[in-house]
Amino acid sequence: MENKEKMKIENINLFYGEFQALKNINMDIKENEITAFIGPSGCGKSTLLKSLNRMNDLVEGVKIEGKILLDNVDIYKDMDATVLRKRVGMVFQKPNPFPMSIYDNVAFGPRTHVIKLKSRLDEIVEQSLRSAAMWDEVKDRLKKSALGMSGG
């Protein structure tokens, strides 16, 4: 049984000002399959990945041409970025915290998925930090900025 197409990238060109970082990218990403982007440093792998959940929206001077479809819906024209990011997550090699507290960074995802009860958020934050072997390091500074973490 062949897996159905989950995302379709059609004629994507991405510019940082005058510099063209992506040139005529076309590909299908199948549901329940692993897709790897492999290539030398600077070839556009991260730029393409960031385009899949519109992380480039906040980068000044970025212009994107073409279409990226998620379940046949154009993510740039017909989908709210928050809804998209609930469905297309990103995991990075290095920590990339939001400019808010450690607690709020960990609770961001659950809050986005409508968990509002503080006691439940507290449980999720503690369990997540324990699972990442970070609880003992940060338990006394959960309300401090996550930007001050070493990333070590």
Side-chain angles (χ1 to χ4, degrees):
M1 184 173 118
E2 188 175 313
N3 290 336
K4 76 174 191 149
E5 176 181 283
K6 190 66 174 174
M7 291 191 99
K8 184 173 190 68
I9 300 167
E10 297 180 344
N11 302 313
I12 287 293
N13 294 290
L14 185 138
F15 300 84
Y16 292 111
E18 297 297 314
F19 174 73
Q20 187 170 2
L22 299 177
K23 298 177 183 174
N24 199 32
I25 306 295
N26 292 282
M27 71 179 296
D28 295 341
I29 299 174
K30 302 286 185 183
E31 187 172 54
N32 299 320
E33 289 187 7
I34 296 171
T35 302
F37 298 141
I38 301 170
S41 178
C43 75
K45 301 179 301 289
S46 295
T47 298
L48 179 60
L49 278 173
K50 288 191 261 182
S51 298
L52 299 180
N53 82 344
R54 294 181 43 185
M55 289 182 67
N56 288 315
D57 282 10
L58 302 175
V59 178
E60 193 172 320
V62 169
K63 182 176 95 172
I64 298 177
E65 301 170 343
K67 288 183 184 178
I68 299 177
L69 306 174
L70 174 62
D71 292 327
N72 293 314
V73 176
D74 188 325
I75 68 169
Y76 282 94
K77 288 193 170 87
D78 302 318
M79 189 174 292
D80 177 73
T82 303
V83 170
L84 172 66
R85 291 180 189 128
K86 281 183 180 180
R87 297 185 58 203
V88 180
M90 294 283 159
V91 178
F92 295 94
Q93 186 173 3
K94 293 182 182 176
N96 195 8
F98 295 114
M100 56 180 79
S101 73
I102 294 168
Y103 182 97
D104 288 334
N105 265 274
V106 178
F108 185 83
R111 279 187 182 129
T112 302
H113 289 277
V114 195
I115 296 175
K116 303 290 183 208
L117 190 63
K118 181 161 177 8
S119 61
R120 180 66 184 126
L121 285 171
D122 289 348
E123 288 174 22
I124 291 169
V125 167
E126 181 174 345
Q127 180 56 45
S128 297
L129 290 168
R130 284 187 185 281
S131 295
M134 294 178 64
W135 177 250
D136 290 335
E137 178 187 345
V138 301
K139 66 183 176 193
D140 297 325
R141 50 192 184 109
L142 292 176
K143 296 299 176 188
K144 296 203 183 230
S145 173
L147 295 176
M149 296 184 68
S150 69

